[in-house]
Amino acid sequence: MDLLIENVQRVVTLNALKVELFKKFWEVRDLKKGEYLLYQGQVCRYDAFVLSGSLKGYFVNPTSYKEEVAFFAIEDWWATDLDSFHNMLPSMLNIQALEKTQVLQITKERFETLLCELPELERYFRVILQSYANALLKRIYLRNAISAKERYTKFLEQYPTINQKIPQYMIASYLGMSAEMLSKIRSGSA
Amino acid sequence: MDLLIENVQRVVTLNALKVELFKKFWEVRDLKKGEYLLYQGQVCRYDAFVLSGSLKGYFVNPTSYKEEVAFFAIEDWWATDLDSFHNMLPSMLNIQALEKTQVLQITKERFETLLCELPELERYFRVILQSYANALLKRIYLRNAISAKERYTKFLEQYPTINQKIPQYMIASYLGMSAEMLSKIRSGSA
């Protein structure tokens, strides 16, 4: 729980009373390696913050039936299908634990109550979403602007720990390149 | 101005006094066709809301020197480089008017004052950013999941008016396909 509180306090200040109130809204959930936080087609009932471990958000390509990685969520990050959570729509994503993982989760109803009781959190979530939207926009244009090799280098900078943990084909999918291309880059032949 | 106020009131309620206060923070800016709201490399000094007309956000690909379209902003939408505006960093984007365009703009300093004076706007911007982040995420995975033809069909649904106004090569760039492919789709031969 401390990790989430620190994350929030980086943006807004909560006094001790408010921190106690804040804590009551969240429940801890433990996931085994391979366990699903969300299945594609289900409504995403929880917003989740990663305390430890890591998850991937992915969908199955309806044409090729291949898995396509939309995001990785590691410690101190959020793992949610925003559209599904906020609009109660079927999710386009699966979210699955890549290893033993612990998250804090909150339902939509409780999320709305939390924001009513601690309206200063609107600012926190606004700032978080700003960074997130910005990261997504960067990803869209970097995909066009820089080479596969540079994209991989940037990925290693952004996710230094995840590279060891997960199969290369998932990283290739996330980076929008073939597994063969990634293998060439890693071996230094591309 | 009314268009922005209606947009805000869809999310949060402002009474007449607050509406008057809100109005004071914005200035109208008129752009001619081809005029720039922002140049790549400059710090984005204004957040801007489009009252009429349309703009494109684009960058010049450092490898191919080709123009790559990151977004289109039409009436009732926002047109900003978020990262540059909020973190005072050089922008990765150019934002240019595609036609005679009118925007409402606000500086970062005034934006922060506005949020202090009307903190209920934190919620408005949080909700706007949620939709925006979601649209970006969808764009990332639709690019992998659906065919070029379907992407173009979805584009026409999303931007019914813009298709008439702008050169096809810009639409192709936005959709991540070649101009030749788009031309085939439009002629019905793809």
Side-chain angles (χ1 to χ4, degrees), chain B residues 140-156:
Chain B
I140 290 175
Y141 50 67
L142 286 183
R143 182 140 170 185
N144 294 344
I146 67 173
S147 69
K149 195 171 175 175
E150 285 172 287
R151 289 209 298 282
Y152 181 61
T153 307
K154 278 188 185 285
F155 175 81
L156 292 183

Side-chain angles (χ1 to χ4, degrees), chain A residues 50-65:
Chain A
V50 186
L51 290 177
S52 64
S54 54
L55 305 110
K56 65 171 172 176
Y58 74 96
F59 64 98
V60 178
N61 187 314
T63 311
S64 66
Y65 302 105

Side-chain angles (χ1 to χ4, degrees), chain A residues 133-184:
Chain A
N134 183 55
L136 289 171
L137 189 62
K138 243 185 206 153
R139 204 166 132 205
I140 290 174
Y141 50 69
L142 286 183
R143 181 140 172 186
N144 294 345
I146 67 173
S147 70
K149 195 171 176 175
E150 286 172 285
R151 288 208 298 280
Y152 181 60
T153 307
K154 278 189 186 284
F155 175 80
L156 291 183
E157 286 165 19
Q158 193 187 358
Y159 294 103
T161 57
I162 219 165
N163 189 48
Q164 315 302 322
K165 291 181 190 173
I166 59 171
Q168 293 302 305
Y169 79 90
M170 281 185 208
I171 297 177
S173 163
Y174 174 80
L175 294 172
M177 62 180 78
S178 67
E180 293 70 29
M181 171 57 87
L182 181 57
S183 167
K184 277 188 193 164

Side-chain angles (χ1 to χ4, degrees), chain B residues 148-186:
Chain B
K149 195 171 175 175
E150 285 172 287
R151 289 209 298 282
Y152 181 61
T153 307
K154 278 188 185 285
F155 175 81
L156 292 183
E157 286 165 18
Q158 194 186 359
Y159 293 103
T161 57
I162 220 167
N163 189 48
Q164 315 303 324
K165 292 180 188 173
I166 61 172
Q168 292 304 305
Y169 79 90
M170 281 185 206
I171 297 176
S173 164
Y174 174 81
L175 293 172
M177 62 180 78
S178 67
E180 293 71 30
M181 172 58 87
L182 180 58
S183 166
K184 277 188 193 164
I185 291 169
R186 284 167 54 91

